[in-house]
Amino acid sequence: MLYLGQIYTPLVLACIVAWLRLEKGDHLVAGIMIGLLISMKPNFAVWPVLLFLAGHRMPSVVTIATAVVIAAVPLVIFGPGIHLDWLHLVATDDGRSS
């Protein structure tokens, strides 16, 4: 499944765990799960903003911290060039995505 690029099952599982943990009041685990979710699919970066606006301050901060730490791992291992290469690839992805 992951070999084919289908990462939706892990994304859904992370969402479910985060949702259930938020309902139970376990803000740390919920924030970590949403941070992992954002690390896999940056489109979900709006979630910590919505959590913060809804009054869930702790999970929002944990989410942002988790996503930043996970994004920093490649910086430590490969240096800043890895993110610059990614930005260049995204900026020049005209014909490949169609």
Side-chain angles (χ1 to χ4, degrees), residues 18-19 22 27 30-35 38 44-64:
W19 180 14
L22 274 173
H27 301 299
I32 290 171
M33 294 310 294
I34 298 170
I38 291 170
F44 290 106
V46 70
W47 283 23
V49 175
L50 295 175
L51 282 171
F52 189 83
L53 292 175
H56 298 283
R57 307 288 196 258
M58 171 75 165
S60 179
V61 171
V62 172
T63 295
I64 293 168

Side-chain angles (χ1 to χ4, degrees), residues 4 10 14-15 17 29 41-42 80 83 90 92:
L4 298 174
C15 290
V17 170
V29 174
K41 190 96 169 152
H83 287 296
V90 169
T92 60

Side-chain angles (χ1 to χ4, degrees), residues 71-89:
V73 170
L75 288 175
V76 172
I77 295 173
F78 301 110
I82 194 75
H83 287 296
L84 295 174
D85 290 345
W86 179 79
L87 287 172
H88 176 69
L89 181 68

